[in-house]
Amino acid sequence: GSCRQRCCPGRNNACWAPGTRRVRCYCDSYCERTGDCCQDFHATCRRAAVGCVVGPWGPWSGCSSLCGVGSKARSRQVTIPPRHGGEPCPDLKQRRGCLGEHPACGTAK
């Protein structure tokens, strides 16, 4: 079987080609785990793999609490999504703790 023009990311049971002895071979990136890839899978599909690319982190948000323990968050966007079994995207959001120190907090303490 041949994967020409037939490479699919992830697990996709519809992404197959007729193989030897009337057995299907697969052209999805999951076939590497199951061991049922078509003979030309690596030459055809892995070369076409595109890993995820993300942009820079945005700024941290303000603290969610004016006084005391809270959290801040920031995010980034996917600029190029993964294709043909390329590396998946890393985390797009981060969160960290913070301590709100609004001027009114002094009287609340």
Side-chain angles (χ1 to χ4, degrees):
S2 176
C3 290
R4 264 180 266 120
Q5 313 270 324
R6 188 90 202 172
C7 300
C8 306
R11 186 175 190 169
N12 184 343
N13 288 336
C15 191
W16 62 274
T20 57
R21 294 187 220 127
R22 297 185 195 159
V23 176
R24 291 180 178 179
C25 62
Y26 290 85
C27 300
D28 59 352
S29 55
Y30 196 76
C31 76
E32 292 183 290
R33 290 188 185 166
T34 54
D36 55 2
C37 297
C38 292
Q39 289 179 333
D40 66 346
F41 173 77
H42 288 284
T44 305
C45 299
R46 296 308 280 163
R47 183 182 47 184
V50 175
C52 182
V53 177
V54 294
W57 286 106
W60 286 101
S61 67
C63 193
S64 63
S65 174
L66 290 178
C67 300
V69 178
S71 64
K72 292 181 174 189
R74 69 179 182 172
S75 63
R76 58 185 173 182
Q77 302 294 316
V78 173
T79 54
I80 300 174
R83 290 190 304 272
H84 307 301
E87 284 295 312
C89 294
D91 289 338
L92 299 176
K93 295 185 179 190
Q94 284 184 335
R95 191 170 226 75
R96 73 177 182 192
C98 60
L99 189 59
E101 296 179 6
H102 191 270
C105 294
T107 58
K109 291 179 185 174

